[in-house]
Amino acid sequence: MSSVAVACPSCQSSLPGALCNTGAIAHCPACDNRIQAEIFPAFFKPSSAGRTGETLLEEGVSSCFYHEQKKAVVHCDACGRFLCALCDLDFNGRHLCPVCLQAGRKKGGLPELENRRTIYDSAALWTAVLPILFWPFTLVTGPLAIFLAVFSFFHPSSLISRTRIRAWLALAIGLLQVGGWIALFIIALRH
Amino acid sequence: MASTPNPYRRLPGTGTGVLEYVKLYLAADHLLQVSSNGFMETYRRFYLRDVQAISVRESMHGKVWNGIWGFIAFLFTIVALQTTGPATFVWWGITGIFIFLLTLNVARGPTCVCQVQTAVQTRPLPSLNRVRRAGKVIAQLKPLIEAAQGAMPAGEVARRIDETRRGPAADSMTPIESTFTPPVV
């Protein structure tokens, strides 16, 4: 159980239980600020101690790939290597070894671990639209927007599924800008 | 090409930061906070099984904005009243914009700072910046979190909190080591 009482998010005085989980705003008895606190069962759960690998005592028992002296308890769902309790990383119901987890993170194979993504279709659209205010820049940004839009078709977009409308729009605007510049150059050369 | 179903459902509200906007999404087992600046998205996940508490504190931001919009609208009203001719319509138009912003801010209700707490972090949820909206989202999330963690009888939570409160670590009116990090204003 948590050894720390529930504190008012405003003044940090401990809150009485009657003020929590009411589903409505209440006044803190100490600072009188309007607050709401919803407490969930995880608040009372003790933090569990980390697991350690069991030392291998008998012959013929499989050992951990990474720790020869430790007994294997599970195999990695990605590479199949035997793992001791210490190396077994529970990842959303899957058992992974640290190496596979690291590799998954680096290669982007585990979207659950991703905490940042470049959104090329949005970048393409902004690149196409923003410089319209300073139109001479479109000489550079137009082709760049086309490049980014095409690039976005071959790269993952946001974690939140969305349509390719931004990329298509950026492509159309970029092509218009490039077309405009080509027309302008042709007219300038003729005159 | 078969498209994969979107595992995320958008929750109401959009928060703003420095050159970024923040939205909150709900998946089967976690909340995803997406901060985007238009070129890059940053993700933060809060697994439902790990959420210890969600707190809401009413803030002054809404009242401050009411004051700002009201003051500007008042100034333009004075200017509009003292102007004659076609320019009057322009000044009344500008006044109307600020009155609209004031009305919108009042209609959206009081502002708040919402925070989610897990065993290892306490993070603000900038998209839940209105009391009414925060209440609705919390009401949506509560049964899901309880389903992930196992529901506790209504009185049990209060009893346990009071038990902790009466313990040696907590003194009823003394500031204690906070489970909620005070918001940085």
Side-chain angles (χ1 to χ4, degrees), chain B residues 19-178:
Chain B
L19 291 177
E20 67 172 12
Y21 59 91
V22 185
K23 291 175 182 175
L24 198 60
Y25 293 84
L26 177 66
D29 61 347
H30 67 276
L31 280 172
L32 181 74
Q33 185 169 280
V34 182
S35 310
S36 175
N37 60 11
F39 292 89
M40 191 170 276
E41 283 184 348
T42 310
Y43 308 111
R44 194 176 287 279
R45 293 170 184 79
F46 305 101
Y47 282 87
L48 298 181
R49 62 171 182 269
D50 299 331
V51 174
Q52 291 188 339
I54 299 178
S55 70
V56 175
R57 176 179 65 83
E58 204 174 290
S59 71
M60 292 292 288
H61 293 98
K63 286 170 188 163
V64 170
W65 280 110
N66 280 345
I68 290 170
W69 298 137
F71 180 69
I72 296 172
F74 174 71
L75 287 182
F76 279 110
T77 307
I78 291 172
V79 175
L81 286 172
Q82 289 182 344
T83 316
T84 52
T88 315
F89 295 106
V90 176
W91 292 117
W92 277 119
I94 296 171
T95 309
I97 292 170
F98 288 103
I99 289 175
F100 171 74
L101 289 172
L102 174 65
T103 313
L104 193 70
N105 199 33
V106 171
R108 291 172 76 194
T111 51
C112 69
V113 176
C114 187
Q115 290 180 311
V116 62
Q117 180 192 327
T118 65
V120 292
Q121 62 178 342
T122 301
R123 288 278 165 189
L125 300 174
S127 60
L128 303 181
N129 50 14
R130 297 278 170 174
V131 172
R132 204 182 304 151
R133 187 189 298 146
K136 278 182 189 170
V137 171
I138 290 172
Q140 273 186 59
L141 294 178
K142 207 172 167 182
L144 299 174
I145 295 172
E146 285 176 349
Q149 298 181 9
M152 208 176 246
E156 179 68 8
V157 173
R159 189 188 66 75
R160 286 202 186 192
I161 291 169
D162 287 335
E163 215 169 73
T164 315
R165 203 171 169 239
R166 279 194 298 270
D171 182 62
S172 63
M173 299 305 282
T174 314
I176 55 164
E177 186 192 343
S178 173

Side-chain angles (χ1 to χ4, degrees), chain A residues 84-95:
Chain A
C84 63
L86 184 66
C87 298
D88 170 28
L89 301 172
D90 184 5
F91 186 73
N92 284 347
R94 293 169 69 193
H95 297 278

Side-chain angles (χ1 to χ4, degrees), chain A residues 43-159:
Chain A
F43 184 82
F44 304 103
K45 274 186 191 164
S47 53
S48 56
R51 292 176 302 169
T52 53
E54 194 182 329
T55 309
L56 199 60
L57 298 172
E58 331 161 31
E59 292 249 340
V61 176
S62 304
S63 66
C64 171
F65 179 84
Y66 300 101
H67 303 101
E68 277 181 11
Q69 276 75 45
K70 301 285 182 185
K71 187 177 167 185
V73 290
V74 72
H75 68 267
C76 173
D77 287 337
C79 65
R81 286 168 180 160
F82 287 170
L83 306 173
C84 63
L86 184 66
C87 298
D88 170 28
L89 301 172
D90 184 5
F91 186 73
N92 284 347
R94 293 169 69 193
H95 297 278
L96 296 177
C97 68
V99 174
C100 289
L101 198 69
Q102 182 70 16
R105 183 170 189 165
K106 273 186 182 167
K107 292 175 185 169
L110 298 167
E112 298 96 329
L113 287 179
E114 277 188 75
N115 53 16
R116 184 169 289 195
R117 260 192 196 183
T118 304
I119 313 300
Y120 292 104
D121 53 353
S122 289
L125 190 58
W126 283 116
T127 310
V129 171
L130 278 182
I132 291 175
L133 297 170
F134 316 98
W135 65 269
F137 287 106
T138 55
L139 181 64
V140 177
T141 57
L144 183 63
I146 294 172
F147 171 75
L148 285 173
V150 172
F151 196 72
S152 75
F153 287 118
F154 303 99
H155 285 81
S157 184
S158 171
L159 264 186

